[in-house]
Every structure is written in C-alpha cells, then in structure tokens.
C-alpha cells in the first residue's frame, strides 16, 4: 500500500495503545511512512522478502526469532525500514532492529493482522483530509471528539459490527471494548446478554440512544449506543442502518448532555461514512482504473498508473476475481491481507460483492492457483465464508488487466446464475464452455422470438414429453442412455420419441432441429 506520507507518530496515535505499543524508536517518531508490506515465515524461508524492499513499514507475521534476526540483517543491508510491527518481540530482535535505526512496535498477541492492516490503510488513505483527526472529515477524529465531549471511550462500527474507528483507550476499557478493537469477537456471554435484552434490535430500529446497563459479574461497564442511519435515495423508503456508535463509561460519569452529543454524532458519522464510500483513496482509484472499473470513458495512461502504484508495466501478471455475496465487506479486508502476504506488489479492488486481486508480476500460474485454493479453504474453515474464485493467468502486462477483469466477471456472472455449474475455484479456460453456453442460453431466454414456440407448448401441455426430449437430446440420441436417465424402459423412450416427432412435425435426426430444440429447452428450463 502506498500514500504520500504520514509520520510514524501520527500512525501510532491513530492505532491506539489497545492495539500496539511502541518499544523502540531510535530515529524518533517524525519519520514519514507511506507504504507497508507483510512478511511471513515462507517469505523469509524462500527468500521472497526482498521483493518488498522499498516499504517503510513491515508486519512480521509468525516469524521465529532466528528468522526475524536474519531478516532484519538482510533488510537493513538494503534499506533500513522505518519500523517493524511484530507480536511479542524478543529482546534480541528489538536490539538488532534498534541498532539498525528501525523502530519496533509490539502488536497485541490477540490482535488480528487483518484489522491492523485495515486501520493502517485507513490512516494512509485519509491522512490528507484537512487533518488526520478532524472530526468533520475523519471517523477517528469524530470518535475522539465524542470521547472528549462525553468523557467516555468511543468506538464506531459498521452494520456488520466491524470497528471502523475508536478514541484513545485507557486502563478502564473493559474486555468487550478491547477485543472489539483487536478485531476479535466479544466474549460470547457478553454478546448473548446484549442480544437477549434486544439492544441490537433497538439500535437497528431507529436513531435513538440506547442504554446498556453495567454487568459487574461479566466485567461489562455501562454504555450508551446509537444507530447510524443513511438516508435512502428514494424518500419513500426508510433510512438504512449503517452502523453504531458505542460509548463505554469509565470511572468518571458521562456528561449530562451525552445523549444529545450522540444524536449529532450519528448524523455526522453517516455523512463521513457516505463520503468515504463515495470517494475512495487515490490508490484505490488507480487500481480501479487499471481494471476498467471506472465509468470514465477517457483512456487510461497505463504507464502513469503503474508509476503511481509502484508496479511494473510489463510482466507476467495474474488477475483473480472473488465473489463473496453478502460477506464482501469483510472479504476485501481478508483478501488484502492474504494477497499482500503472498505477493508484496499485490493490488486489490472491490466493487459491490466482488473483490479483485492483481499480481503484476508472478511466476508459474500453479503457485497462484495454490494460493487461491488455500485462501478459499481458509475462508471457509476459519471464517465460514463461501466464495467463488476465478483466475486469469497469464495476463500479458498491465494493459491486459481490464480485459482480463471483464472475462473474469463473465465467469462470476455465470456462477451467480448457476451456482452448481462452475467449480468454486476455476480458470477462464476451464469455465469457457459452461460460460459461453450459459450466455447464449441467457440471451435466447431474454428474447421470446428466439425460442421455438413448439417447445413452449410442449412444456405447457406435455411436461413428461418435454423432459424426455431433453434427456434424448442430451444423450445424443442414445435410447438406452436416455432411458437410464429417466428411469424408464427403453421401449418407453422409443414410443415417446415417435410421439415427439409427430407433435413437433419434424424428425429428431436433423442436427439443426436438435440444436434449436436443445437451446430452447435450456432457455425455458
């Protein structure tokens, strides 16, 4: 990920002590940081880490101490990064990094890397909005302003209860708040209690302040909450629930006008969320342009976009499209993390339910396919997400990315219409026959003039014969195979075929007739 730069101190301030703690900063906190890369144990073991040599920050995921020490040595020999983020850094790693002038930031062991990745992205993408913490333009700034006015600790969540921003925490933060910020689900007994008392239902019903009582036995402190609602485009429709603002009380009582503060904050939060959704970051816009996802008709300057993204124009690229249905919001975050860990130059864009991952320069397609299958399996087993994935590889240079994305969409569209017809993970080549046939049949179904009226009449008046005709044609005229398909005697099929030829007024041996009837049957299924 790249941006124009924010200081390391500003970044740490936005991330909050609940998530990270500064261990060492030998060059101070004024260093500008604009890019980050993820390094895992495979990167170090296979020697892939140097591909991310130009990054300012590195997230070290599950790397043993000896490997981390070796990585620090090799990396600082090229260019000492501004900081490394690591869970439970050992004294040896801290000392080695500090000696090279690299700051060390300890990440809470319970934190989800995807949450940290998302928040760092947010800071990089929006730090130029008048001020990093301006309550009129930034959700973090709004959260801190609410906290200052109400004397509580604030978190702002989306409609799926994912934390988008939060105010500074102190040692009075309860377990539910800490785990929410870390990207973990709250304790089940807490969530069950909140749900049991209808608090979630009340928040989604209307933008009124809801009070959550203290539960000392659960370690749950008092809270105020209010739903965030987006006005509907059609005035006749009710506003749509977009998220929640939570205010946890500490030892100090909340302000007397806290309810009024929250009502105003909910309106402002809705405006900021709408603006952020409507105006993606410059980086996101460039990736969208590269993939042909923008409505602008102006030609894309591939060379300019490549320089902006810091990726090569010519190379053996690969594009993967994922469709996660209603889970697409979380899918984009998880795939960004996974793709960046696999290839540090990965580019990710999302539109509605789909997420696209572009690897500008890859090796053999088999390695990408292996990553896709592993990622899809992990999404299913660890997060309960079922997705379709389509790979286009190799793509010759960035100039072919938009065309590849359009082809990937064709496969995903077909999979959406016929979920069982296309495998969960497939390629353009593997799906070509299924997709072309589906598109032909879909086009025919949309135009009554292209459907043989005899087939419509047959389906309406003689459904058994229509089923027999489909079985006979799909069996290439093999009576025995059609009989087995229909679970009837072959003589029954012969009798029905004779009746079909009489009703249709044409022999079923003519290949043109067979093609026309077969397409009409599929279009009316």
């Amino acid at each position: 990920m790249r941006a124009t730069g924010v200081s390391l101190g500003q970044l740490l301030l936005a991330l909050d002590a609940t998530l990270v703690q500064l261990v060492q900063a030998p060059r101070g906190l004024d260093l500008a940081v604009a890019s980050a890369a993820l390094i895992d144990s495979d990167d170090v073991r296979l020697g892939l880490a140097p591909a991310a040599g130009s990054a300012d920050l590195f997230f070290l995921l599950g790397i043993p101490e000896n490997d981390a020490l070796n990585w620090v040595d090799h990396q600082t020999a090229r260019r000492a990064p501004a900081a490394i983020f690591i869970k439970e850094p050992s004294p040896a790693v801290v000392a080695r990094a500090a000696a090279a002038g690299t700051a060390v930031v300890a990440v809470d062991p319970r934190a989800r890397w995807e949450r940290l990745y998302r928040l760092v992205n947010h800071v990089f993408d929006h730090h130029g909005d008048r001020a990093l913490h301006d309550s009129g333009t930034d959700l973090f700034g709004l959260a801190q302003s609410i906290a200052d006015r109400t004397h509580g600790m604030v978190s702002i969540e989306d409609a799926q209860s994912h934390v988008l921003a939060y105010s500074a925490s102190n040692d009075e933060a309860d377990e539910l708040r800490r785990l929410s910020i870390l990207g973990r689900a709250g304790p089940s007994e807490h969530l069950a209690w909140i749900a049991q008392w209808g608090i979630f239902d009340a928040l989604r019903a209307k933008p009124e302040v809801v009070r959550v009582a203290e539960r000392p036995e659960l370690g749950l402190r008092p809270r105020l909450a209010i739903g965030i609602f987006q006005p509907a485009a059609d005035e006749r429709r009710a506003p749509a629930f977009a998220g929640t603002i939570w205010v946890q009380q500490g030892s100090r009582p909340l302000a007397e006008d806290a309810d009024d503060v929250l009502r105003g904050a909910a309106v402002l939060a809705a405006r900021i969320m709408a603006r952020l959704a409507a105006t993606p970051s410059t980086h996101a816009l460039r990736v969208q342009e590269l993939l042909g996802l923008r409505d602008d008709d102006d030609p894309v300057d591939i060379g300019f976009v490549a320089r902006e993204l810091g990726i090569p124009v010519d190379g053996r690229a690969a594009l993967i499209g994922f469709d996660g249905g209603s889970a697409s919001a979380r899918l984009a975050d998880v795939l960004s993390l996974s793709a960046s860990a696999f290839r540090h130059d990965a580019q990710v864009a999302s539109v509605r339910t789909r997420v696209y991952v572009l690897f500008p320069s890859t090796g053999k397609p088999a390695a990408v396919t292996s990553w896709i299958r592993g990622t899809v399996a992990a999404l299913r087993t660890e997060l309960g997400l079922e997705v379709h994935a389509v790979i286009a590889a190799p793509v010759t240079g960035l100039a072919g990315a938009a065309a590849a994305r359009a082809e990937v969409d064709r496969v995903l569209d077909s999979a959406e219409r016929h979920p069982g017809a296309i495998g969960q993970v497939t390629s353009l080549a593997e799906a070509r026959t299924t997709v072309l046939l589906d598109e032909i049949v879909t086009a025919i179904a949309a135009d009554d003039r292209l459907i043989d009226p005899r087939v419509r009449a047959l389906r309406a008046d003689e459904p058994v014969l229509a089923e027999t005709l489909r079985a006979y044609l799909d069996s290439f005229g093999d009576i025995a195979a059609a009989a087995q398909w229909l679970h009837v005697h072959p003589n029954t099929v012969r009798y029905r075929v004779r009746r079909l030829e009489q009703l249709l007024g044409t022999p079923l041996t003519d290949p043109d007739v067979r093609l026309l009837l077969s397409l009409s049957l599929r279009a009316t299924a």
Side-chain angles (χ1 to χ4, degrees), residues 129-142 145 272:
D129 291 343
R130 294 212 307 261
L132 180 61
H133 291 292
D134 186 331
S135 63
T137 62
D138 182 82
L139 288 176
F140 277 96
L142 177 62
S145 294
I272 296 174

Side-chain angles (χ1 to χ4, degrees), residues 17 19-23 84-89 104-109:
L19 192 59
V20 297
Q21 291 281 350
L22 178 66
V23 180
I84 59 172
F85 287 66
I86 184 171
K87 293 184 178 181
E88 299 179 313
V104 179
V105 181
V107 179
D108 189 290

Side-chain angles (χ1 to χ4, degrees), residues 38 61 81 96 98 134 139 177 235 253-254 258 311 401 408 515 519:
L38 299 110
L61 283 65
R96 190 74 60 86
D134 186 331
L139 288 176
R177 174 179 171 81
E235 295 181 356
L254 296 178
I311 56 178
V408 164
L515 175 61
L519 290 173

Side-chain angles (χ1 to χ4, degrees), residues 396-415:
T396 305
L398 299 184
R405 193 273 310 162
E407 292 299 307
V408 164
D409 272 347
R410 291 175 64 189
V411 181
L412 291 174
D413 288 343
S414 185

Side-chain angles (χ1 to χ4, degrees), residues 13 23 61 70 118 176 241 260 293 319 327 401 416 420 428 435 476 497 510 512:
L13 180 64
V23 180
L61 283 65
N70 291 333
R118 177 177 184 173
L176 181 58
F241 177 75
D260 292 335
L293 295 170
L319 178 73
E416 189 175 329
L428 296 182
V435 171
F476 307 102
V497 168
D510 186 321
D512 290 342

Side-chain angles (χ1 to χ4, degrees), residues 299-472:
V300 177
D301 185 337
I302 299 296
F304 171 76
V305 173
R307 289 192 296 273
E308 287 276 294
L309 297 177
I311 56 178
V313 173
D314 299 315
R316 189 184 179 91
L319 178 73
I320 306 96
F322 297 83
D323 196 320
S326 60
S328 59
R330 188 176 188 188
L331 180 63
D333 292 334
V334 177
L335 286 176
S336 292
L337 175 65
S338 178
S340 296
F342 176 66
R343 291 288 307 180
H344 304 300
D345 56 356
Q347 308 297 318
V348 180
S350 59
V351 176
R352 295 181 293 278
T353 65
R354 292 181 183 171
V355 181
Y356 305 93
V357 176
L358 173 68
F359 296 122
S361 181
T362 62
K364 296 181 179 179
V368 178
T369 303
S370 178
W371 171 78
I372 297 170
R373 293 190 183 280
T375 299
V376 169
L379 288 170
R380 183 191 310 114
T381 57
E382 297 178 15
L383 301 178
L385 301 179
E386 292 290 343
V387 302
H388 273 95
V390 180
I391 176 175
V395 177
T396 305
L398 299 184
R405 193 273 310 162
E407 292 299 307
V408 164
D409 272 347
R410 291 175 64 189
V411 181
L412 291 174
D413 288 343
S414 185
E416 189 175 329
R417 288 190 291 266
H418 307 285
I422 294 177
Q424 195 168 26
V425 177
T426 189
S427 67
L428 296 182
E430 292 171 340
R432 181 171 290 113
T433 298
T434 302
V435 171
L436 287 173
L437 180 58
D438 171 57
E439 290 179 340
I440 291 170
V441 171
T442 300
I444 292 172
D447 190 340
D448 284 342
R449 297 174 303 170
L450 302 180
I451 298 175
D452 192 321
R454 295 173 297 179
V455 170
R456 287 200 181 279
L458 193 66
R459 283 199 177 280
D461 302 332
E462 298 282 355
V464 173
L465 289 182
E467 182 184 18
T468 300
L469 179 60
R470 174 70 183 269
Y472 177 74

Side-chain angles (χ1 to χ4, degrees), residues 5-40:
V6 60
S7 76
L8 178 59
Q10 287 177 307
L11 177 64
L12 296 179
L13 180 64
L15 295 178
D16 190 70
T18 300
L19 192 59
V20 297
Q21 291 281 350
L22 178 66
V23 180
Q24 280 276 13
R27 290 187 283 167
L29 297 176
D30 292 330
L31 292 175
V33 290
S35 59
L38 299 110
I39 304 294
D40 63 19

